[in-house]
Amino acid sequence: MKTFPLGKRNVHRVGFGAMQLPGRGAFGPPRDRAEALAVVRRAVDLGVDHIDTAQYYGPDVANEILRSALYPYPEELVFVSKVGAKRDEKGGWLPAQRPAELRAGVEENLRALGLDKLHAVNLRLHSKDAASVLDEQLDAMIDLRDAGLIDGIGMSNVDVEQLRQAVDKTEIVCVQNPFNLVDRASQPVLELCRERGIAFVPFFPLGAAFGRARVLGHPKVKAVAERLDATPAQVALAWVLAVADNTLLIPGTASLEHLEENMAAGHLKLDEQAMAELSTAGTP
């Protein structure tokens, strides 16, 4: 499996996202805790060395499962988390983007995972705030890096203008934005990341929870899958890897069957015919 730099470390291009380990909507306990633990262990057995997580997945549920399944952690295992959000008592998503909240988010992740330092932490933006607000948030992230609590700073939910502001101020090691075969709105951000050697980590690579049919049910995706003896999910994931060499996948699941399917996508080769057919899948 090929690798790409994620800050100071090269990681395999297919990692694992912990968002689906808790209950529905990344809230509450898992449907099947034993299977969730087994999924995490199997992912590492299959070569995953990059796990994406967050304290507000659960809250605290994803991190607790990861620690229970893997601690003490393999030396090569990289944890990337994110800050900038929190949950209310009903599972609603709320912003938590003041400097003190960003620091508290990092400390909560470290405590739950049993780590002294996170490899990278993404600053998740919620709105198009003034440049001065982003500058203050970046200062907070830089302070966390200087304090030795994180190795690298990432960003999530950003546009090109925000990313340019960030890279002009400090090193950015990764970007997480929505991106898949039928939703390519973040293509300009991906291209800027490629120019700068920044890892681009798309979330919703198979479409959001209510939009998966648009990706997995797309006629071109289904046709390529049938011709290559693969599943539509494998084709959609393989396309993300093939479209740019700086993309990293973090498909999440709480199912052993789906984990095996997702990991196999890293070995699926899309030929020129497949790439040509899929190139227009995102057009009306």
Side-chain angles (χ1 to χ4, degrees), residues 180-200:
N180 56 59
L181 266 164
V182 300
D183 177 7
R184 306 184 194 183
S186 287
Q187 186 79 40
V189 176
L190 168 57
E191 295 301 332
L192 178 56
C193 286
R194 179 155 54 178
E195 292 172 13
R196 299 296 187 105
I198 298 170
F200 182 84

Side-chain angles (χ1 to χ4, degrees), residues 35-95:
E35 184 168 21
L37 292 168
V39 164
V40 172
R41 294 177 180 131
R42 180 61 177 156
V44 173
D45 288 343
L46 291 172
V48 163
D49 57 5
H50 164 210
I51 294 180
D52 179 84
T53 187
Q55 180 274 336
Y56 49 76
Y57 293 164
D60 295 313
V61 175
N63 284 346
E64 187 277 325
I65 290 172
L66 292 171
R67 184 172 183 175
S68 295
L70 300 174
Y71 194 87
Y73 303 116
E75 184 177 349
E76 69 277 6
L77 188 60
V78 161
F79 283 101
V80 176
S81 189
K82 59 186 69 65
V83 292
K86 60 184 178 181
R87 312 296 290 277
D88 64 23
E89 65 277 2
K90 295 182 179 179
W93 300 85
L94 302 173

Side-chain angles (χ1 to χ4, degrees), residues 64-141:
E64 187 277 325
I65 290 172
L66 292 171
R67 184 172 183 175
S68 295
L70 300 174
Y71 194 87
Y73 303 116
E75 184 177 349
E76 69 277 6
L77 188 60
V78 161
F79 283 101
V80 176
S81 189
K82 59 186 69 65
V83 292
K86 60 184 178 181
R87 312 296 290 277
D88 64 23
E89 65 277 2
K90 295 182 179 179
W93 300 85
L94 302 173
Q97 301 201 299
R98 295 190 299 271
E101 292 175 310
L102 300 179
R103 184 179 186 91
V106 168
E107 291 174 343
E108 288 168 356
N109 276 285
L110 290 170
R111 184 163 48 250
L113 289 167
L115 294 170
D116 296 323
K117 179 186 292 189
L118 287 158
H119 183 74
V121 172
N122 290 300
L123 168 62
R124 188 182 191 281
L125 304 186
H126 286 257
S127 61
K128 181 65 173 173
D129 287 323
S132 59
V133 175
L134 176 56
D135 201 54
E136 182 180 48
Q137 293 168 335
L138 289 169
D139 282 338
M141 299 299 289

Side-chain angles (χ1 to χ4, degrees), residues 167 227 241-242 267:
V167 297
R227 182 170 64 81
L241 292 175
H267 304 287

Side-chain angles (χ1 to χ4, degrees), residues 4 13 155 157-161 163-164 167 173-181 183-203 238-249 275:
F4 189 83
R13 293 186 65 201
M155 302 191 75
N157 253 15
V158 296
D159 59 26
V160 167
E161 181 182 341
L163 180 56
R164 288 193 185 279
V167 297
V173 301
C174 57
V175 168
Q176 284 192 11
N177 269 21
F179 184 76
N180 56 59
L181 266 164
D183 177 7
R184 306 184 194 183
S186 287
Q187 186 79 40
V189 176
L190 168 57
E191 295 301 332
L192 178 56
C193 286
R194 179 155 54 178
E195 292 172 13
R196 299 296 187 105
I198 298 170
F200 182 84
V201 188
F203 58 84
W239 178 84
V240 172
L241 292 175
V243 76
D245 59 6
N246 64 318
T247 54
L248 300 177
L249 281 174
M275 293 300 291

